[in-house]
Amino acid sequence: MFEPEYALNGAVTGIDSFSHLWLLWRFENGEPGGGAADVAGARAVAATGERAPAPVAAAPKPARWSPTVRPPRLGGAERVGVFATRSPFRPNPIGLTCVKLDHIELTDAGPVIHVLGADLRDGTPIYDIKPYIPFADCHPDACG
């Protein structure tokens, strides 16, 4: 759902000509990756349709971010620089994902963009939406 000042059907005119979109979004609760309670709550909602009770006390936040992380892609055994990963444990709460545009629904309350393949949860705040442009965004010779 768009914020009221952006909930204008005209703001998405032409977006349906793109197959994919970039979403820039904020990690849950402003905490990189969300907390364990956030994940447990999401699982409870998915399983039962009911919200899990809020935790009694929040886990303390780390005093500072770590410049290195152990990404799952490397089996969690090797430390690499946080900026060389897509780890959610970052010095900022900004996420980026590429999604497939399914369809656009134009309503009286504003546009609803339906996407596939999002790696974020329902209700995640989206900062911006940009079209995926193959000639600029696709680099077949890229490695990683």
Side-chain angles (χ1 to χ4, degrees), residues 9-69:
N9 288 333
V12 297
T13 300
I15 202 169
D16 57 353
S17 67
F18 297 95
S19 64
H20 291 76
L21 304 171
W22 288 110
L23 303 180
L24 285 97
W25 48 278
R26 181 174 59 87
F27 285 108
E28 292 292 317
N29 300 325
E31 292 181 38
D38 297 322
V39 174
R43 285 185 182 143
V45 170
T48 66
E50 297 179 16
R51 286 252 172 234
V56 175
K61 291 185 182 180
R64 62 185 186 96
W65 63 279
S66 174
T68 61
V69 295

Side-chain angles (χ1 to χ4, degrees), residues 32-135:
D38 297 322
V39 174
R43 285 185 182 143
V45 170
T48 66
E50 297 179 16
R51 286 252 172 234
V56 175
K61 291 185 182 180
R64 62 185 186 96
W65 63 279
S66 174
T68 61
V69 295
R70 297 174 193 257
R73 185 172 178 220
L74 299 177
E78 182 182 340
R79 280 198 167 276
V80 296
V82 68
F83 296 122
T85 74
R86 291 190 173 197
S87 170
F89 301 101
R90 312 187 73 73
N92 65 62
I94 299 171
L96 171 70
T97 194
C98 184
V99 295
K100 181 171 178 43
L101 177 60
D102 186 40
H103 68 280
I104 304 289
E105 182 180 350
L106 301 178
T107 73
D108 292 339
V112 178
I113 301 174
H114 296 266
V115 300
L116 303 169
D119 60 351
L120 50 129
R121 299 191 326 221
D122 285 349
T124 297
I126 307 283
Y127 287 134
D128 203 356
I129 302 164
K130 298 180 185 295
Y132 177 96
I133 302 172
F135 80 85

